[in-house]
Amino acid sequence: MSLHGKRKEIYKYEAPWTVYAMNWSVRPDKRFRLALGSFVEEYNNKVQIVGLEEESSEFVCRNTFDHPYPTTKIMWIPDTKGVYPDLLATSGDYLRIWRVSDTETRLECLLNNNKNSDFCAPLTSFDWNEVDPNLLGTSSIDTTCTIWGLETGQVLGRVNLVSGHVKTQLIAHDKEVYDIAFSRAGGGRDMFASVGADGSVRMFDLRHLEHSTIIYEDPQHHPLLRLCWNKQDPNYLATMAMDGMEVVILDVRVPCTPVARLNNHRACVNGIAWAPHSSCHICTAGKPSTFSENINEMAHLHRW
């Protein structure tokens, strides 16, 4: 609490390294908990679990663990009811599943779909299915997307062992795949989309993987780096191109024709996020075009 008896409006935590990946925990019994991944240009990197001490109104580090290479993405298990094990996933050279406790974080399983070779194609991103938390999807520079299944095995003591297997792997694009995201359409379990270096957005259905639908292709074939589904209306998604200054809004019912182009930025966009409560609000982030604007990154909230 502040001196005037009011809660702070801005909370701050300074990590000991550049933060590249970050994700909120959604467990009801773990309020105000974040996972942070470092960006250090060497093999040894870190992940921190930080939480809010509500009495002091300060974020503090709960624990830190080592991670090979920077994490390209971090996600807590999408468990809003607290019925699954407290798991955290990270992508980098492999997909790793971690079990988090109050005192430590330990590696639960390492998911590798290329066991016949010492070479691994780095993972650019992944997504955790919100409807079925036993499903995860990864994207890779080797042009593929892989859908993983998690299993909670036999109980040893009081701990359920967690393991994983490849449910399916498919060549998703002609070049590197940079992002993957499950859609809430059709029940929210079987449909996902991906973007890649070939400049296309493609949608897949786990029930019919013999074909895919091209939702959009960049006119100049610029690589598309990220995609994000609307949280309230699964017909809409957003994507952005490498070094692009706009965000493209797409309607899956009208393929290849953007319904909006958001071009408020004067420098390249590097982040997009739909509002969780509204179908018509999206936040975009990008670097300022000139140093005099602001040293910090600039963010825009759009209503379209």
Side-chain angles (χ1 to χ4, degrees), residues 201-220:
V201 180
R202 305 191 184 204
M203 193 160 72
F204 301 86
D205 189 327
L206 291 174
R207 298 161 295 188
H208 307 285
L209 286 175
E210 63 273 9
H211 60 82
S212 63
T213 302
I214 296 179
I215 301 299
Y216 173 73
E217 289 185 293
D218 185 84
Q220 282 76 44

Side-chain angles (χ1 to χ4, degrees), residues 213-285:
T213 302
I214 296 179
I215 301 299
Y216 173 73
E217 289 185 293
D218 185 84
Q220 282 76 44
H221 300 288
H222 291 154
L224 300 178
L225 299 183
R226 290 289 177 260
L227 81 157
C228 188
W229 287 98
N230 190 302
K231 302 293 186 184
Q232 296 294 324
D233 189 337
N235 291 312
Y236 295 102
L237 70 155
T239 187
M240 63 186 194
M242 181 181 291
D243 299 325
M245 292 185 287
E246 67 178 13
V247 171
V248 178
I249 308 296
L250 304 170
D251 186 337
V252 298
R253 297 166 297 187
V254 189
C256 302
T257 305
V259 296
R261 292 182 180 271
L262 309 179
N263 49 18
N264 297 60
H265 290 273
R266 288 179 283 175
C268 61
V269 180
N270 54 32
I272 47 179
W274 288 95
H277 65 287
S278 169
S279 63
C280 54
H281 287 88
I282 186 171
C283 185
T284 63

